[in-house]
């Protein structure tokens, strides 16, 4: 018998041609599909260079983008591992191949283990090797040579199942994995090696139907050892002397080809057998990796791993519920949501920062559905808006299996330790761990505090130095010589550009230019920038600074705000990128000079440092709900004087993660897309109006549906019920059925629905169920809501039942979010005057008859208009307890005079804010404070929160 050759070259060419055609076919639909293989070669070994060139050529022929990184032979192991980490984190790299062998001083196992499993196209990493070794294991990639061998057997028509196979060799690269693959294909496999006695080798080979020779010894296997008709796969690549060859040597396998070909039925030649298949299957693995990565970047994962709730009645405290639930590791939560390992920066086990690189990776995806949760005019008891946000997200994810994000603000510790409590939701619909959520999270608020107060210190310091120095010395100290060279900083160059001075050499400025540049000439009476602290400290509302003798009598009156009232916080919420945040921070107006011109943080030279302090804070934080669905916790602008909503960046990232491939049909998209549930502070008429007219203007996003949360209790207050106070017993009107009071109060709900509908968006009312409610009362709310124009009004019991209690609400939100009719519009254009925009909000949203501007407010409006800020949107700071400026006016007051006592500028954030009546920008503490209940137990756990 003369064996038939298994032509590895021809089979590999066919495989590579198929890969080329597959790429072309995918690219017809997805032009941005570009598979990439990056090969790391350490040193200059001739054989390694030969193999690398072969792989590069084959990749190019198959239309795979292939890059080679050549590193010096003496590179340290640490440097090599860093390079692998960089490639692991690169969105442009699909496959990483480390060309072996490596220099002796480098641990090959440590290096191959460092390659991410989903980029380990060699199949050498611990995940892929381990999965291959397990019964039922699912490796992402098979090692290339064993995979190529199995392909050769398959194409050649060899029956593996039931065959007696002998693997000669036990290397991690060939011997062990091919033995495992043959076993999985139901062959009976014997593994022999160089220490097996030759007699035993001959005996086993004489009975083998399939022989895989990978022992690394030239021409070791003799034809006389083989079973008649055996299939022989020769993996060996050995060089023996041959004077007839120009190189003086020739390549042979581990099998004596001449004798074996007389006994075998099929045999692979060397070269031209297994070698070409190794390269071809490597490329096949790269395509597999690229397809997975492309799918990861375009498909919407379904939520499939909810945490189980163990519901109790009566419902325990929020703290007890949170403590009883074991959260997932945050890395698991992120992975389930479609976030890559390289995009997650864990802060402990249950919270993490998420990289903005997600927006770049997922830029092609069509956004998921955008759900805005707001409420009716609240009472001091709160109506469950955050609880509804979380419960709705749990219903969508844990029960309806949608990819979902709840996006909420980071709570200030002022209310946490005061009287309001935390902002994690409540009952069986909350963010966990709730103690970590309510305290610090990852420190963003502290970063805001530091940035804000750095600017405050810089303002007073600049004024002090300008008051104590003449122009020349002041300029020299502002732009000092370092090693004999003077240079303007980036901020200084921006200020020069603002002044119209086109110079970059500090020594070239004229005396007049020096004065204009160096002297900000801040008018102390116009300073609007205050220091901040994340605490309810009423005694900091008004202070005098500069009383130490070192300040030489430079004193002025100022005060503190709470950190979440800082413009830096509003900018964090409204920025669209790191670069955008840098520009906004520079534009913050902190005062006017004595000529009436605005002075900015850029003029102070502080914007770059503020950005540096906030460069990590700009990354959203990820946590989870009680049922394990993901939550973005980011930014926390004060809801009275700012937008009261979480960040644009968190919303944009969540919408991409919940988004779908652009190539889907409308029906496919509706089936696959996910949902982002975000909330706006207080009621729709405050938080929702700002969300749309300020936040949506900045982000370019528009909600698909608005959810308005209502409670029987709050509507009764607006119907004329007795006053309610936190901590005080409720009157009988609120604990017993009272349909007359309720129906009267539904006018408040109707006004909010009408206000929301004026933006051209569908509205769903969430009736947040409480134990004292009656079905008749729920029916009245639904009747009045539909009459006012809501798409639906649905009872939700998420506080008591978690996501299961909000499934009906979730289905209603899905239906409303997919309604075809949309006629979105803003409430006002930005071109009209400041007075007109304020009047439009007051009349249309609040029901005011007219607006009254105090002399101080009018003076500010005139100044900001003169300074060029009159075309900004408006944020009105007022009480949350009434549609009007007066907390005592419940229901739907109309025709009242709306007083504007002051107007301030948040130019970096991008709006002016008008203060109606009295609004405190730093709350005070009550007699009995929340902090009085807080302790740390012997296990180091926080007790006593809510």
């Amino acid at each position: 018998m003369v064996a038939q050759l298994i032509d590895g070259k021809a089979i590999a060419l066919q495989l590579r041609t198929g890969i080329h055609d597959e790429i072309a076919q995918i690219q017809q639909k997805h032009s941005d599909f570009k598979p990439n293989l990056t090969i790391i070669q350490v040193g200059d070994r001739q054989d390694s260079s030969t193999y690398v060139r072969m792989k590069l050529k084959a990749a190019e022929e198959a239309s795979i983008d292939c890059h080679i990184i050549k590193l010096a032979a003496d590179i340290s192991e640490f440097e090599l591992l860093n390079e692998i980490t960089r490639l692991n984190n690169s969105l442009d790299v699909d496959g990483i191949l480390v060309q072996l062998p490596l220099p002796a001083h480098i641990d090959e196992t440590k290096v191959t283990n460092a390659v991410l499993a989903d980029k380990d196209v060699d199949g050498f990493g611990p995940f892929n090797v381990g999965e291959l070794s397990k019964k039922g294991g699912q490796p992402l990639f098979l090692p290339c040579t064993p995979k190529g061998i199995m392909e050769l057997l398959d194409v050649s028509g060899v029956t593996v199942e039931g065959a007696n196979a002998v693997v000669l060799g036990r290397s991690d690269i060939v011997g062990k994995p091919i033995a495992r693959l043959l076993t999985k294909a139901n062959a009976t496999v014997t593994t022999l090696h160089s220490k097996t006695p030759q007699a035993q080798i001959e005996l086993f080979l004489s009975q083998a139907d399939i022989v895989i020779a990978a022992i690394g010894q030239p021409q070791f296997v003799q034809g006389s050892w083989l079973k008649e008709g055996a299939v022989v796969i020769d993996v060996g690549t050995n060089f023996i002397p041959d004077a007839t060859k120009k190189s003086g040597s020739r390549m042979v396998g581990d099998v004596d080809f001449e004798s074996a070909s007389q006994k075998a039925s099929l045999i692979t030649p060397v070269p031209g057998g297994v070698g070409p298949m190794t390269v071809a299957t490597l490329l096949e693995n790269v395509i597999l990796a690229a397809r997975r990565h492309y799918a990861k970047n375009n498909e919407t994962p379904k939520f499939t791993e909810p945490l189980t709730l163990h519901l109790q009645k009566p419902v325990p405290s929020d703290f007890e519920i949170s403590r009883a639930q074991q959260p997932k590791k945050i890395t698991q939560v992120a992975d389930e949501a479609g976030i890559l390992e390289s995009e997650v920066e864990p802060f402990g086990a249950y919270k993490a920062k998420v990289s903005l690189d997600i927006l770049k990776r997922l830029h092609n995806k069509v956004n998921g559905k955008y759900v805005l949760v707001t409420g009716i005019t609240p009472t001091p008891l709160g109506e469950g808006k955050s609880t509804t946000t979380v419960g709705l997200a749990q219903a969508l994810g844990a029960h309806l299996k949608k990819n979902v994000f709840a996006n909420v603000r980071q709570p200030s510790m002022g209310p946490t330790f005061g009287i309001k409590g935390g902002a994690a939701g409540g009952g069986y619909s909350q963010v966990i761990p709730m103690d970590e959520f309510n305290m610090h999270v990852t420190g963003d608020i502290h970063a805001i505090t530091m940035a804000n107060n750095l600017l405050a210190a810089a303002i007073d310091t600049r004024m002090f130095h300008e008051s104590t120095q003449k122009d020349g010395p002041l300029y020299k100290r502002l732009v000092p010589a370092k090693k004999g060279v003077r240079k303007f900083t980036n901020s200084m160059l921006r200020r020069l550009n603002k002044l119209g001075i086109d110079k970059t050499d500090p020594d070239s400025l004229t005396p007049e230019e020096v004065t204009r540049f160096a002297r900000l000439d801040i008018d102390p009476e116009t300073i609007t920038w205050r220091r901040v602290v994340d605490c309810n400290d009423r005694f900091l509302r008004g202070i005098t600074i500069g009383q130490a003798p070192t300040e030489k009598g430079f004193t002025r009156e100022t005060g503190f705000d709470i950190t979440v009232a800082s413009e830096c916080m509003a900018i964090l919420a409204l920025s669209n990128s790191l670069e955008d945040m840098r520009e906004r921070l520079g534009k913050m107006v902190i005062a006017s000079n004595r000529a009436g011109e605005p002075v900015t943080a850029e003029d102070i030279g502080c914007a770059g440092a503020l950005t540096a302090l906030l460069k990590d804070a700009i990354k959203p934080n990820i946590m989870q709900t009680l049922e394990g669905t993901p939550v973005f916790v980011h930014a926390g602008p004060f809801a009275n004087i700012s937008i009261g909503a979480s960040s644009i960046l968190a919303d944009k990232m969540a919408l991409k993660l919940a988004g779908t491939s652009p190539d889907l049909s409308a029906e496919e998209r509706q089936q696959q897309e996910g949902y982002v549930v975000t909330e706006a502070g207080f009621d729709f008429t405050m938080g929702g109006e700002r969300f749309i007219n300020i936040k949506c203007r900045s982000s370019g996003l528009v909600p698909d549906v608005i959810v308005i949360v209502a409670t029987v209790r709050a509507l009764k207050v607006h119907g004329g019920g007795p006053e309610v106070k936190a901590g005080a017993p409720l009157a009988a009107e609120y604990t017993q059925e009272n349909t007359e009071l309720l129906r009267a109060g539904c006018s408040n709900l109707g006004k909010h629905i009408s206000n929301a509908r004026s933006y051209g968006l569908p509205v769903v009312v969430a009736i947040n169920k409480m134990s004292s409610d009656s079905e008749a009362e729920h029916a009245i709310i639904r009747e009045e809501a539909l009459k006012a124009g809501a798409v639906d009004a649905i009872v939700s019991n998420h506080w008591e039942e978690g996501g299961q209690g909000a499934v009906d609400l979730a289905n209603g939100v899905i239906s409303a979010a997919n309604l075809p009719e949309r006629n979105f519009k803003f409430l006002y254009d930005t071109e009209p005057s400041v007075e007109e925009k304020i009047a439009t909000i007051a009349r249309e949203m609040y029901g005011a008859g007219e607006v009254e501007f105090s002399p101080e407010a009018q003076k500010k409006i005139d100044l900001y208009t003169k300074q060029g800020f009159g075309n900004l949107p408006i944020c009105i700071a007022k009480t949350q307890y009434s549609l009007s400026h007066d907390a005592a006016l419940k229901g739907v007051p109309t025709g009242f005079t709306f007083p504007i006592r002051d107007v301030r500028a948040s130019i970096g954030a991008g709006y002016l804010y008008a203060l109606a009546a009295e609004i405190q920008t730093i709350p005070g503490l009550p007699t009995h404070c929340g902090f009085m209940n807080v302790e740390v137990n012997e296990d180091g756990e926080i007790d006593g929160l809510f």
Side-chain angles (χ1 to χ4, degrees):
M1 176 184 290
V2 178
Q4 180 182 340
L5 288 182
I6 299 176
D7 190 346
K9 278 187 179 180
I11 297 171
L13 177 60
Q14 187 177 10
L15 190 58
R16 295 203 309 270
T17 302
I19 291 169
H20 180 280
D21 294 344
E22 181 183 356
I23 293 173
Q25 188 176 1
I26 295 172
Q27 287 177 340
Q28 283 182 358
K29 192 172 183 181
H30 308 287
S31 59
D32 58 335
F33 180 76
K34 297 174 183 176
N36 173 280
L37 169 65
T38 297
I39 302 172
I40 298 177
Q41 181 182 354
V42 181
D44 233 359
R45 282 179 55 127
Q46 186 175 355
D47 55 348
S48 290
S49 297
T50 299
Y51 295 141
V52 167
R53 283 195 300 271
M54 286 170 51
K55 292 166 185 173
L56 176 61
K57 181 182 178 184
E60 289 175 345
E61 290 175 353
S63 296
I64 292 175
D65 188 16
C66 186
H67 295 280
I68 299 171
I69 298 175
K70 290 191 174 183
L71 303 173
D74 61 352
I75 190 173
S76 70
E77 184 175 274
F78 178 78
E79 291 173 303
L80 177 55
L81 290 172
N82 277 345
E83 183 63 27
I84 291 173
T85 299
R86 184 184 70 80
L87 296 175
N88 281 339
N89 294 339
S90 172
L91 301 179
D92 298 323
V93 176
D94 294 307
I96 302 170
L97 186 151
V98 181
Q99 184 63 46
L100 303 178
L102 294 172
H105 69 282
I106 293 177
D107 185 335
E108 285 190 358
T109 300
K110 187 183 292 187
V111 169
T112 53
N113 286 359
V115 178
L116 279 180
D118 66 348
K119 296 189 178 187
D120 175 31
V121 290
D122 248 342
F124 291 164
F127 176 84
N128 289 312
V129 169
E131 287 297 299
L132 178 61
S133 301
K134 286 160 53 179
K135 181 180 180 181
Q138 297 291 326
L140 296 175
F141 305 104
L142 297 176
C144 300
T145 300
K147 183 178 181 179
I149 292 170
M150 296 303 290
E151 182 74 12
L152 287 176
L153 293 172
D154 182 58
V155 172
S156 301
V158 177
T159 301
V160 175
E161 185 171 352
N164 183 15
V166 170
V167 176
L168 193 54
R170 54 180 175 179
S171 72
D172 292 333
I173 296 174
V174 180
K176 290 178 183 176
I178 189 60
R180 187 62 192 150
L181 287 175
L182 288 166
T183 301
K184 285 194 170 189
N186 297 317
T188 301
V189 182
T190 304
T191 300
L192 309 176
H193 48 80
S194 59
K195 301 302 181 183
T196 305
Q198 184 171 318
Q200 290 289 320
I201 292 174
E202 292 182 26
L203 174 63
F204 281 106
L205 290 182
S206 68
Q207 300 170 2
D209 302 310
I210 300 171
V211 176
I212 312 294
I215 199 169
Q217 297 181 28
Q219 300 176 324
F220 176 73
V221 176
Q222 301 300 308
S224 60
W225 303 353
L226 299 174
K227 176 183 178 181
E228 190 78 28
V231 176
V232 178
I233 307 295
D234 191 349
V235 187
T237 53
N238 311 285
F239 290 89
I240 61 174
D242 188 338
T244 65
K245 300 292 183 181
K246 187 176 180 180
S247 63
S249 63
R250 65 185 172 93
M251 182 189 293
V252 297
D254 290 350
V255 177
D256 180 55
F257 183 81
E258 294 301 324
S259 61
S261 61
Q262 301 301 311
K263 201 82 172 283
S265 59
L266 293 168
I267 190 169
T268 56
V270 177
V274 174
M277 290 299 297
T278 299
V279 176
T281 51
L282 168 66
L283 302 183
E284 200 171 44
N285 280 351
V286 174
I287 294 300
L288 195 59
R291 292 188 73 143
R292 286 195 186 113
H293 291 156
Y294 195 84
K296 182 95 173 176
N297 296 342
N298 286 276
E299 294 176 4
T300 305
K302 282 192 173 183
F303 185 80
T304 57
E305 297 292 335
L307 296 175
T308 302
L309 289 180
H310 300 286
L311 304 176
Q312 296 183 46
K313 289 186 179 180
V315 176
S317 69
D318 293 352
F319 165 68
E320 290 172 312
I321 293 170
S322 175
R323 180 67 58 82
Q325 182 68 295
Q326 176 59 52
K328 304 175 193 176
K329 298 293 185 184
I330 200 61
T331 48
Q332 179 184 345
V333 175
D335 179 67
E336 290 169 359
I339 301 171
L340 304 181
E341 182 182 350
S342 60
E343 295 165 341
V344 181
E345 302 169 20
F347 277 64
Y350 306 121
K351 56 185 184 287
K353 283 281 181 190
V354 180
S355 171
L356 304 186
D357 288 344
I358 286 175
L359 291 173
K360 176 184 175 184
R361 176 170 66 88
L362 304 180
H363 73 280
N364 278 341
K365 289 181 75 172
V366 176
N367 286 346
K369 292 297 185 185
Y370 198 23
V371 181
L372 172 61
V373 177
T374 65
I376 61 169
T377 304
T379 70
L381 302 179
E383 312 319 315
K385 185 160 43 56
S386 296
T387 307
T388 302
T389 298
V390 176
L392 175 57
Q394 290 180 164
L396 287 164
H399 299 274
L400 299 182
K401 307 306 179 188
K402 299 287 186 181
N403 182 293
V404 66
F405 276 84
N407 284 10
V408 298
R409 288 181 294 163
Q410 178 177 346
S412 165
M413 284 188 286
T416 296
F417 290 128
I419 193 170
K420 178 180 180 294
Y428 286 103
S429 294
Q430 55 175 305
V431 182
I432 58 169
M434 66 92 78
D435 52 348
E436 294 187 29
F437 176 88
N438 285 302
M439 293 188 184
H440 305 294
V441 190
T442 60
D444 293 349
I445 288 182
H446 303 309
I448 293 288
T449 302
M450 184 61 209
N452 184 99
N453 292 346
L454 173 63
L455 179 54
I459 293 166
D460 290 312
T461 296
R462 183 61 173 265
M463 293 172 65
F464 173 79
H465 288 308
E466 286 190 27
S467 69
T468 57
Q469 300 177 56
K470 294 183 178 179
D471 292 356
L474 176 65
Y475 181 61
K476 284 185 178 179
R477 289 185 174 94
L478 278 173
V479 195
K482 294 183 179 180
K483 297 182 180 180
V485 178
R486 300 176 75 194
K487 288 182 66 176
F488 289 123
T489 65
N490 182 39
S491 277
M492 290 175 179
L493 291 171
R494 289 172 182 242
R495 172 160 171 75
L496 287 166
N497 183 61
K498 173 182 174 179
L499 295 172
I501 301 173
D502 187 20
K503 295 180 179 179
T504 57
D505 180 4
D507 295 323
S508 66
L509 268 63
T510 67
E512 180 193 5
E513 290 170 339
V514 164
T515 299
R516 291 177 62 210
F517 170 80
R519 292 212 172 271
L520 300 181
D521 200 23
I522 295 171
D523 180 355
E525 297 299 317
T526 67
I527 295 174
T528 57
W529 199 261
R530 292 153 62 94
R531 287 163 174 81
V532 298
V533 62
D534 191 34
C535 181
N536 291 2
D537 193 344
R538 68 177 69 244
F539 291 98
L540 292 178
R541 289 170 179 167
I543 63 170
T544 301
I545 61 171
Q547 294 191 333
T550 50
E551 274 48 78
K552 303 178 183 180
F554 180 79
T555 64
R556 70 180 182 91
E557 291 185 355
T558 181
F560 274 74
D561 293 332
I562 195 164
T563 297
V564 290
S566 169
E567 186 177 352
C568 292
M569 179 62 86
I571 286 174
L572 185 72
L574 291 169
S575 294
N576 287 278
S577 66
L578 181 63
E579 296 76 16
D580 184 31
M581 184 175 73
R582 168 64 179 81
E583 293 301 313
R584 288 172 177 269
L585 291 169
K587 289 177 181 177
M588 292 189 300
V589 173
I590 54 89
S592 296
N593 63 19
R594 296 183 192 277
E597 300 165 331
V599 179
T600 66
E602 200 74 80
D603 294 323
I604 299 284
C606 211
L610 302 184
T611 308
L613 287 168
L614 300 178
K615 74 175 183 66
D616 291 320
I618 197 173
K619 302 171 188 174
N621 309 293
I622 187 170
M623 294 185 72
Q624 65 192 291
T625 68
L626 276 166
E627 297 190 60
T629 58
V631 179
F632 273 148
V633 182
H634 199 218
F638 204 35
N640 280 105
I641 68 165
S642 188
I643 63 166
S646 62
S647 77
I648 284 173
L649 281 169
D651 287 358
K652 284 189 170 182
M653 291 164 69
L655 285 166
K656 290 301 181 187
L657 288 162
T660 51
S661 168
D663 304 306
L664 299 180
S665 67
E667 185 178 349
E668 289 172 326
R669 178 161 293 112
Q670 186 172 337
Q671 289 296 318
Q672 296 181 27
E673 66 192 346
Y675 288 76
V676 176
V677 185
T678 191
E679 63 175 305
F682 299 135
D683 58 15
F684 176 82
T685 299
M686 284 181 70
E689 181 270 314
R690 297 169 189 174
F691 185 98
I692 293 173
N693 289 305
I694 297 176
K695 184 176 177 180
C696 291
R697 267 196 170 96
S698 178
S699 68
L701 303 171
V702 177
D704 292 288
V705 61
I706 295 169
V707 176
I708 297 179
V709 180
T711 61
V712 170
R713 179 179 64 195
L715 291 173
K716 287 178 179 178
V717 171
H718 291 293
E723 183 180 2
V724 296
K725 292 183 179 180
L730 286 172
E733 287 86 342
Y734 303 117
T735 58
Q736 299 171 13
E737 185 178 288
N738 189 322
T739 57
E740 184 178 344
L741 202 61
L742 175 63
R743 194 176 291 276
C746 281
S747 61
N748 183 270
L749 171 60
K751 175 60 175 170
H752 286 291
I753 293 170
S754 173
N755 284 350
R757 293 283 295 131
S758 70
Y759 294 90
L761 299 173
V763 175
V764 172
V765 173
I767 304 171
N768 186 10
K769 181 180 179 181
M770 295 183 179
S771 58
S772 58
D773 298 353
S774 71
E775 290 186 9
E777 289 174 325
H778 291 161
I780 286 172
I781 296 175
R782 186 169 195 276
E783 177 189 339
E784 295 295 329
L786 296 179
K787 190 187 301 180
V791 173
D792 207 345
I794 303 166
V795 177
S796 185
N797 194 19
H798 44 274
W799 181 79
E800 196 170 46
E801 297 178 357
Q804 182 60 50
V807 167
D808 289 344
L809 175 62
N811 282 320
V813 166
I814 290 172
S815 297
N818 287 284
L819 289 173
E821 293 183 16
R822 288 291 185 280
N823 187 27
F824 175 75
K825 59 183 177 180
F826 292 111
L827 178 65
Y828 54 83
D829 294 326
T830 55
E831 288 74 18
S833 68
V834 174
E835 294 93 333
E836 288 179 82
K837 286 179 285 195
I838 292 174
T840 297
I841 297 171
R843 286 195 306 265
E844 301 298 324
M845 294 287 105
Y846 309 154
E850 61 178 333
V851 178
E852 180 181 82
F853 296 93
S854 72
E856 175 65 19
Q858 192 62 57
K859 179 182 174 183
K860 292 280 191 70
I861 291 171
D862 295 341
L863 174 64
Y864 296 144
T865 302
K866 180 182 176 183
Q867 291 176 338
F869 306 136
N871 63 345
L872 293 174
I874 304 295
C875 176
I876 297 181
K878 72 174 191 71
T879 179
Q880 67 270 33
Y881 295 126
S882 171
L883 285 165
S884 73
H885 62 287
D886 184 352
L889 297 178
K890 303 301 182 184
V892 186
T894 58
F896 53 87
T897 298
F898 192 73
I900 300 296
R901 66 177 178 86
D902 196 8
V903 177
R904 297 176 186 173
S906 291
I907 305 306
Y911 57 80
L912 301 179
Y913 70 93
L915 282 76
E918 296 297 323
I919 288 293
Q920 296 291 349
T921 53
I922 182 168
L925 289 170
T927 304
H928 182 87
C929 305
F931 64 74
M932 295 175 177
N933 306 315
V934 177
E935 288 289 350
V936 177
N937 64 29
E938 59 187 16
D939 296 322
E941 298 170 326
I942 297 171
D943 288 337
L945 285 172
F946 332 119

